[in-house]
Amino acid sequence: HAYKQALHCHRIIPKQNASAVRSSLSASTRSSSPNSFNISTINENEVKFKIASSHCALNENRAALLEMEGIPSKARNLQMNLMMGKLYRNLRHTRAAITCYKECLRHCPYIIEAIIALAELGVAAKDIISLFPQTPTRGTRSAFDHFDSSRWLQRYVEAQCCIASNDYKGGLEFFAELLRRFPYNIHILLEMAKVEAIIGKTEEAITDFEKVRSIDPYVITYMDEYAMLLKLKSDYSKLNKLVHDLLNIDPTRPEVFVALSVLWERKDERGALSYSEKSIRIDERHIPGYIMKGNLFLSMNRPEAAVVAFRGAQELRPDLRSYQGLVRSYLAISKIKEALHAAREAMKAMPQSAKALKLVGDVHASNTSGREKAKKFYESALRLEPGYLGAALALAELHVIEGRNGDAVSLLERYLKDWADDSLHVKLAQVFAATNMLQDALSHYQAALRINHQNEAAKKGLERLEKQLK
């Protein structure tokens, strides 16, 4: 409101006082009156930018864009183009957003958020790289610097484009190369940890997140992803500390509310849900908020609502977890056709992903006639990624359903040689319990609890088993 008043005054006063200004300028040698000088010194475009920034802070995207479009394109500086790119993107004007972000990189190639945005909007790596200034300055030292920076910048663009097109393995390789060039770089460590979290490399992701927190304990970016991993490992003491730290650093960020939601899920699902919804209210483009909300709806047995949440995440940027959530939700409401469609979409988006193959297998395994197909998909997933426990556990489950308990045991024991994982022990214990080999089942439940003393399935299984043994 104040900025608009300033603009209004600025437009009226010069007309009234134009002559006064001229006379005061000619008389300025005698006494310079500050009032008459300050009349015309404001830059209208800067003020419009400030009005638009205020609209943005109030989440009034359309009003902000309208204000920004009043600034001639020649007069737009870097911040203005960056804001317009974000606004067009929020309002789904993809082509206009791409134009603005490209303009940012022509101004300055180091605008990381513009590179990420262009990659996510589907612009090819070579098109982004072509925007960078190609001419090194004179002098050997600066020419070398230019070569060096253009090398790592190109790698960075390639990494982000790989990840945006769901080629997680390629992206991680590029990031690892960049990390050798910039060891302990927080941004690269965070990007790697986020991708590792998405593809289920839990241990590596946790290590990278811990590295980041040891370098800079005030980082909030992606800390909600870290919270989800700690929950997965049932490490509640670390999760508690993380949430406590985040609340002390900045309680207005969406990541903090997703982390709170993760922490509350065990105690109070409704409370957890309201936290995840609050994270989306703070930033409607915050993907982990939607993923968390979808998973909560699934555990509250509200699969229809879960579909809506996972679709919300998909519209922002489809990643493996939103596909997995959609498939689980559709299977929960027996919409096999839709589940298969979502799983195939995942396979199309990630042709080299064992996780996507397993998703298709899960859909086929949900009905008796598809079990043979499911087996083939699980086996293909394991050929593509031999260390993928999810597919091994699913295949073992299929063997059990079809009465091939011996096959299930030998498959799981083969994996136990290389992976000390509590979920493997639990699955083995369940198979042994079903075939009445209670002593073997007991030792595997105990082994699972030694690895993860918070494993709920192992606790319940052990209770049941002890009753049987009594």
Side-chain angles (χ1 to χ4, degrees):
H1 182 66
Y3 284 130
K4 281 190 168 167
Q5 273 184 309
L7 266 187
H8 182 65
C9 295
H10 170 66
R11 284 170 187 155
I12 293 168
I13 294 167
K15 292 176 186 133
Q16 295 173 353
N17 289 30
S19 53
V21 173
R22 274 198 294 278
S23 62
S24 71
L25 281 174
S26 60
S28 64
T29 44
R30 292 194 301 278
S31 73
S32 65
S33 140
N35 295 347
S36 54
F37 267 100
N38 289 344
I39 284 165
S40 242
T41 54
I42 73 165
N43 176 339
E44 278 199 30
N45 297 329
E46 284 293 335
V47 181
K48 284 179 183 168
F49 177 53
K50 289 193 189 301
I51 293 172
S53 307
S54 308
H55 281 306
C56 278
L58 292 166
N59 269 334
E60 296 169 355
N61 288 337
R62 286 186 195 284
L65 192 58
L66 204 65
E67 207 59 56
M68 290 304 291
E69 284 174 339
I71 302 173
S73 56
K74 290 275 184 289
R76 285 178 206 148
N77 61 19
L78 186 53
Q79 282 106 320
M80 291 173 185
N81 276 314
L82 198 55
M83 181 193 269
M84 285 192 81
K86 284 178 188 162
L87 288 169
Y88 279 131
R89 193 177 177 190
N90 288 354
L91 295 166
R92 310 209 175 151
H93 300 323
T94 305
R95 281 169 64 178
I98 288 173
T99 309
C100 292
Y101 283 125
K102 282 183 170 177
E103 205 47 55
C104 291
L105 290 180
R106 285 191 193 98
H107 271 288
C108 167
Y110 301 106
I111 306 298
I112 297 292
E113 54 262 71
I115 294 176
I116 296 174
L118 286 170
E120 288 176 354
L121 290 165
V123 180
K126 61 177 194 311
D127 295 338
I128 299 175
I129 292 165
S130 71
L131 301 165
F132 300 155
Q134 300 300 324
T135 50
T137 37
R138 288 201 189 110
T140 50
R141 177 87 194 115
S142 55
F144 172 75
D145 281 348
H146 172 84
F147 172 70
D148 185 48
S149 75
S150 68
R151 276 269 304 270
W152 71 253
L153 248 182
Q154 286 177 19
R155 285 284 168 278
Y156 182 80
V157 171
E158 283 160 348
Q160 288 293 4
C161 287
C162 281
I163 284 155
S165 61
N166 299 307
D167 172 10
Y168 298 119
K169 192 164 159 272
L172 278 176
E173 281 166 10
F174 282 127
F175 275 134
E177 190 184 323
L178 281 165
L179 199 61
R180 286 194 290 278
R181 167 74 178 74
F182 301 106
Y184 307 114
N185 179 286
I186 287 173
H187 176 70
I188 294 167
L189 281 168
L190 281 172
E191 292 294 307
M192 287 179 79
K194 182 185 78 168
V195 175
E196 287 158 350
I198 288 173
I199 60 175
K201 288 190 165 186
T202 309
E203 299 301 333
E204 291 95 322
I206 286 178
T207 306
D208 282 341
F209 278 127
E210 281 170 356
K211 238 183 254 175
V212 168
R213 273 177 65 79
S214 68
I215 299 166
D216 180 357
Y218 295 100
V219 166
I220 290 188
T221 311
Y222 300 157
M223 282 302 136
D224 44 359
E225 302 276 3
Y226 180 38
M228 289 179 193
L229 296 177
L230 292 175
K231 165 88 173 26
L232 200 66
K233 299 302 282 182
S234 307
D235 195 338
Y236 290 104
S237 63
K238 266 190 190 164
L239 178 58
N240 251 317
K241 185 182 178 328
L242 174 71
V243 173
H244 181 265
D245 290 350
L246 293 177
L247 278 167
N248 282 332
I249 298 165
D250 183 357
T252 63
R253 291 274 295 270
E255 293 91 336
V256 180
F257 286 97
V258 177
L260 268 166
S261 174
V262 173
L263 180 64
W264 275 84
E265 186 183 355
R266 242 187 357 157
K267 303 174 222 167
D268 170 13
E269 284 179 333
R270 283 200 128 73
L273 185 64
S274 72
Y275 281 129
S276 67
E277 284 172 338
K278 180 146 191 193
S279 77
I280 296 169
R281 277 202 301 281
I282 293 171
D283 175 9
E284 55 189 25
R285 299 186 61 78
H286 192 65
I287 293 171
Y290 292 92
I291 302 275
M292 190 63 209
K293 192 174 163 182
N295 288 332
L296 280 166
F297 277 135
L298 270 177
S299 65
M300 292 162 81
N301 204 12
R302 293 173 58 191
E304 284 97 344
V307 168
V308 178
F310 289 123
R311 277 270 171 238
Q314 282 246 305
E315 280 170 17
L316 292 168
R317 190 176 70 248
D319 74 22
L320 187 63
R321 291 170 308 178
S322 47
Y323 284 122
Q324 287 167 329
L326 273 174
V327 170
R328 277 177 62 205
S329 309
Y330 282 133
L331 288 178
I333 44 182
S334 303
K335 288 192 167 178
I336 308 296
K337 213 168 102 191
E338 286 85 344
L340 192 59
H341 178 71
R344 281 185 177 148
E345 248 180 71
M347 218 169 73
K348 204 161 66 189
M350 301 166 236
Q352 286 307 305
S353 165
K355 312 271 188 308
L357 284 171
K358 178 192 172 278
L359 269 186
V360 182
D362 289 345
V363 179
H364 288 307
S366 68
N367 59 14
T368 19
S369 57
R371 282 179 194 156
E372 205 42 54
K373 274 184 185 171
K375 188 165 165 268
K376 283 185 180 130
F377 275 105
Y378 291 149
E379 283 166 351
S380 304
L382 287 171
R383 273 197 301 277
L384 195 61
E385 195 185 314
Y388 179 27
L389 291 183
L393 290 167
L395 187 57
E397 180 64 30
L398 210 57
H399 286 321
V400 171
I401 291 171
E402 302 204 309
R404 295 190 298 271
N405 288 5
D407 290 353
V409 169
S410 58
L411 171 73
L412 293 167
E413 283 178 338
R414 201 165 68 234
Y415 271 86
L416 260 185
K417 286 193 194 92
D418 299 316
W419 282 274
D421 189 272
D422 50 326
S423 57
L424 278 174
H425 282 292
V426 169
K427 181 57 80 181
L428 261 168
Q430 287 166 346
V431 178
F432 282 130
T435 45
N436 241 2
M437 295 164 75
L438 303 188
Q439 217 48 51
D440 288 321
L442 187 69
S443 70
H444 279 293
Y445 276 134
Q446 286 164 341
L449 286 168
R450 274 197 301 278
I451 296 170
N452 175 3
H453 59 90
Q454 298 275 4
N455 189 312
E456 291 299 326
K459 282 182 194 169
K460 283 177 188 159
L462 199 56
E463 264 175 44
R464 259 202 316 275
L465 201 60
E466 280 167 349
K467 280 179 193 162
Q468 268 177 289
L469 285 166
K470 276 176 190 162

